[in-house]
């Protein structure tokens, strides 16, 4: 915490202006949120930690926007419309007021873009690196949350955007690969939540891809009790050199969506995505044999040592 300002002062100056109606000006012990009439609430929480998900010198406004967006990406995967969020901050004593100001500025910017507001949170000091947590709240029609478990054998597997850029962006920021226009670094720092893409009448199962495509696909398959076969060459990548193939299949931080679409719905789904200007690509199919198979251009199975990012 900064010397001159205690946490209450900090909250009042930086976060109170961001509070929505249920946030009660951040003056009460808790917030109050009436669900929109006839809707169910969808809740998700994601934390980001300095040194793991962002770098110590990353601009605080971008850190704030990434924090919101990784959560909005989860809501997008569940077909939910974003509504509000709660925010927990643990920062070292002495974190500058300017850092909090720019952090709050970033939150304000994305609150506008995504029509959400702050309901409350908690602020503590920590002997460790900055740790930030958002609990995001969205809403869906009754029974309309799209789960990981709805896929059936024979569904088409689709992804949004390009896969692997988040991991490449981290390498670019570290100076390990060239990124003259800074495009890959931007992908790492500022994911684009694909809100509006998952339509419960078109998509049977969905999840956001944050820990590596192959590992995440494995999670969706287990939840749905199906297997999958995908074609490495069809996975959309912004750098198509062979050495980045495995990186793109297993690298984290993409925040794109993975979706299982019934074969009869695929043309409608494609048209729906086109109308929203969101690129989608069919990368394979689900099938009855358990496990995830990744085939190369010649139809041979690729064996991947690491299937994705693991914290432990
Ligand atoms: P408590 O003593 O119950 O922990 P606090 O003093 O931490 O309450 O919080 C006071 C008010 O400020 C509450 O309304 C809480 O939601 C809000 N608040 C605290 N930290 C944050 C934050 N990082 N973002 C938004 N609201 C916050
Ligand atoms: Mg508190």
């Amino acid at each position: 915490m900064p010397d001159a300002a205690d946490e209450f002062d900090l909250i009042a100056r930086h976060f109170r202006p961001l509070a929505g109606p249920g946030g009660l000006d951040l003056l009460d012990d808790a917030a109050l949120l009436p669900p929109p009439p006839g809707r169910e609430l969808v809740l998700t929480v994601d934390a980001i930690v300095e040194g793991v998900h962002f770098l110590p010198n990353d601009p605080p406004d971008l850190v704030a926007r990434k924090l919101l967006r990784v959560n909005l990406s989860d809501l997008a995967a569940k077909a939910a419309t974003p509504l509000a969020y709660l925010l927990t901050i643990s920062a070292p004593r002495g974190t500058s007021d300017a850092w909090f100001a720019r952090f709050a500025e970033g939150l304000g910017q994305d609150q506008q873009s995504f029509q959400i507001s702050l309901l409350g949170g908690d602020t503590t000091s920590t002997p460790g690196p900055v740790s930030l947590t958002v609990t995001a709240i969205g809403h869906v029609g009754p029974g309309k949350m799209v789960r990981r478990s709805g896929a059936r054998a024979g569904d088409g597997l689709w992804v949004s955007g390009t896969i692997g850029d988040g991991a490449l962006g981290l390498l670019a920021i570290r100076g390990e690969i060239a990124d003259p226009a800074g495009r890959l670094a931007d992908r790492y720092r500022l994911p684009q939540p694909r809100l509006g893409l998952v339509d419960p009448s078109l998509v049977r199962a969905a999840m956001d891809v944050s820990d590596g495509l192959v590992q995440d696909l494995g999670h969706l398959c287990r939840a749905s009790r199906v297997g999958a076969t995908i074609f490495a060459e069809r996975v959309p990548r912004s750098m198509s050199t062979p050495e980045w193939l495995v990186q793109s299949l297993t690298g984290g931080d993409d925040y794109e969506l993975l979706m299982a679409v019934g074969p009869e719905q695929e043309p409608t789904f494609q048209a729906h995505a086109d109308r929203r200007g969101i690129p989608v690509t069919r990368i394979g199919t689900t099938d009855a044999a358990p496990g995830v198979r990744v085939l190369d251009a010649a139809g041979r199975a690729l064996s991947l040592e690491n299937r994705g990012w693991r914290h432990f």
Side-chain angles (χ1 to χ4, degrees), residues 256-287:
E256 293 292 350
L257 301 183
L258 169 66
M259 295 149 289
V261 182
E264 67 289 355
Q265 302 286 12
E266 288 182 291
T268 318
F269 172 70
Q270 173 83 71
H272 163 84
D274 291 348
R275 271 198 305 280
R276 275 160 186 75
I278 302 178
V280 291
T281 309
R282 191 180 196 275
I283 58 167
T285 49
T286 53
D287 43 47

Side-chain angles (χ1 to χ4, degrees), residues 98-131:
W99 191 94
F100 283 100
R102 278 199 69 192
F103 180 81
E105 210 177 288
L107 292 176
Q109 204 175 332
D110 270 1
Q111 283 193 198
Q112 285 267 319
S113 309
F114 299 107
Q115 296 299 300
I116 49 172
S117 60
L118 181 59
L119 286 182
D122 198 22
T123 305
T124 69
S125 63
T126 170
V130 176
S131 169

Side-chain angles (χ1 to χ4, degrees), residues 26-117:
L26 309 183
L27 292 169
D28 215 315
D29 298 301
L32 198 58
L33 179 67
R39 308 284 288 178
E40 291 178 350
L41 296 180
V42 176
L43 300 129
T44 184
V45 58
D46 252 328
I48 66 174
V49 176
E50 180 184 296
V52 181
H53 303 88
F54 65 95
L55 303 172
N57 292 325
D58 279 347
D61 52 331
L62 292 187
V63 172
R65 294 167 73 195
K66 180 167 181 175
L67 174 64
L68 279 179
R69 288 168 179 228
V70 300
N71 280 280
L72 293 173
S73 179
D74 280 315
L75 291 182
K78 304 297 97 185
T81 304
L83 186 59
Y85 69 101
L86 297 156
L87 170 67
T88 302
I89 300 177
S90 297
R93 278 176 197 284
T95 300
S96 73
D97 198 62
W99 191 94
F100 283 100
R102 278 199 69 192
F103 180 81
E105 210 177 288
L107 292 176
Q109 204 175 332
D110 270 1
Q111 283 193 198
Q112 285 267 319
S113 309
F114 299 107
Q115 296 299 300
I116 49 172
S117 60

Side-chain angles (χ1 to χ4, degrees), residues 16 42 53 63 78 122-123 132 147 165 174 181 202 212 216 233 284 297 303 305:
R16 184 166 301 148
V42 176
H53 303 88
V63 172
K78 304 297 97 185
D122 198 22
T123 305
L132 304 161
R147 303 180 187 204
D165 292 1
R174 290 186 179 144
L202 300 173
D216 284 337
E233 304 289 330
S303 75
E305 265 174 44

Side-chain angles (χ1 to χ4, degrees), residues 169-247:
L170 182 56
L171 293 177
I173 289 168
R174 290 186 179 144
E176 291 170 32
I177 59 172
D179 183 29
R183 212 170 32 82
L184 294 172
D186 285 350
R187 277 292 309 270
Y188 175 78
R189 291 203 175 106
L190 202 59
Q192 299 295 330
R194 302 298 195 177
L195 289 156
L197 177 60
V198 175
D199 177 330
S201 66
L202 300 173
V203 174
R204 284 201 181 123
M207 68 182 295
D208 102 312
V209 179
S210 56
D211 292 331
L213 176 65
V214 175
Q215 176 170 291
D216 284 337
L217 174 56
H219 295 315
L220 184 139
C221 285
R222 269 190 298 283
S224 292
R225 298 167 183 274
V226 294
T229 305
I230 62 169
F231 299 91
E233 304 289 330
R234 291 194 203 159
V235 174
R237 286 169 290 146
S238 60
M239 281 170 85
S240 50
T241 48
E243 56 266 44
W244 299 118
L245 182 72
V246 170
Q247 181 75 253

